[in-house]
Amino acid sequence: MSNRTKQRRMGGLTLLLYQRTLHPELFRILASEKLTRRAYEADIWLVEGGHVISLTAGKNTLTEVCVTKSEPMTDRGLLLSTPCRGEKYHEDTYGNIRYMISTQEEQMTQTLYDAMKHEISSYAAKRELMSAETPAKQDSGGFLSVLDIERRSHELLVQSFHLFDENQMVIKTQAIIEVVKTA
């Protein structure tokens, strides 16, 4: 069994927060969007088994990574590394960027999981949200990831839904990344 399979079997995502951008080669990007607003620029990637949000405001950059890997890809610029187990909340300000995130992990019965997956999939299609679905393979279960992105002039709100078929795990995150005026 590969390490990737073992990590998926354990379930869950790890939240990594960096004070720098990360190279796209580190990920298998399934969907992406680039935003330019008056106060910031952002890259949003839906990656295999998670997502990456990188926001730059002036000289400051903050990158949120939610992935199935439990080890950081690099320690350079790493501010936070925490498993998305149970319910968690984190808030801090880095330079002129205020970052708030809440995560919620829920293990479901197969019936509830199937209903939730259908509901989120229908919601994503109706609202034309960024989404990616990967069917089960020999070495890993299938998953569905959806990002609901609200683009504002000075803040970015991203709600994510990551569903893992193999263990009927649903992980939801809500992030607010806001550019604040510095005194």
Side-chain angles (χ1 to χ4, degrees):
M1 187 183 311
S2 71
N3 278 346
R4 177 176 276 200
T5 304
K6 285 179 188 171
Q7 288 168 348
R8 284 222 178 99
R9 288 236 160 96
M10 291 188 303
L13 294 178
T14 298
L15 170 68
L16 304 164
L17 191 62
Y18 289 91
Q19 205 160 13
R20 68 187 202 82
T21 58
L22 295 174
H23 292 285
E25 302 88 46
L26 293 171
F27 307 95
R28 182 166 172 249
I29 300 173
L30 305 173
S32 67
E33 183 174 336
K34 187 166 191 60
L35 297 173
T36 302
R37 294 293 188 262
R38 184 173 58 219
Y40 65 88
E41 288 186 359
D43 282 305
I44 303 165
W45 305 332
L46 205 45
V47 299
E48 188 172 62
H51 69 265
V52 177
I53 303 164
S54 187
L55 184 136
T56 301
K59 294 180 180 176
N60 296 303
T61 297
L62 204 59
T63 300
E64 170 188 291
V65 180
C66 283
V67 289
T68 52
K69 298 174 186 172
S70 58
E71 294 299 315
M73 286 148 269
T74 175
D75 288 338
R76 196 166 66 87
L78 183 66
L79 300 168
L80 175 71
S81 175
T82 185
C84 297
R85 300 252 185 245
E87 291 187 32
K88 295 206 173 152
Y89 179 80
H90 176 79
E91 180 177 342
D92 213 335
T93 302
Y94 306 95
N96 65 337
I97 302 173
R98 181 178 302 133
Y99 175 77
M100 296 163 271
I101 188 163
S102 65
T103 65
Q104 179 183 11
E105 176 191 70
E106 194 173 348
Q107 183 96 38
M108 299 183 160
T109 64
Q110 189 67 54
T111 305
L112 275 174
Y113 176 83
D114 291 342
M116 173 73 80
K117 186 173 182 179
H118 176 74
E119 185 179 320
I120 289 173
S121 188
S122 298
Y123 174 75
K126 189 182 341 177
R127 299 229 14 244
E128 298 180 356
L129 302 179
M130 186 185 291
S131 65
E133 187 167 6
T134 300
K137 298 176 195 157
Q138 243 182 346
D139 66 340
S140 66
F143 67 86
L144 169 67
S145 291
V146 174
L147 297 182
D148 190 350
I149 306 162
E150 204 172 311
R151 306 145 187 89
R152 297 182 178 170
S153 64
H154 285 79
E155 67 182 8
L156 187 61
L157 286 75
V158 180
Q159 187 170 8
S160 77
F161 304 91
H162 299 286
L163 292 85
F164 299 92
D165 294 350
E166 199 166 52
N167 50 15
Q168 297 83 46
M169 182 81 65
V170 177
I171 299 169
K172 303 175 208 168
T173 70
Q174 280 189 295
I176 300 171
I177 309 170
E178 178 184 11
V179 179
V180 293
K181 292 184 173 81
T182 51

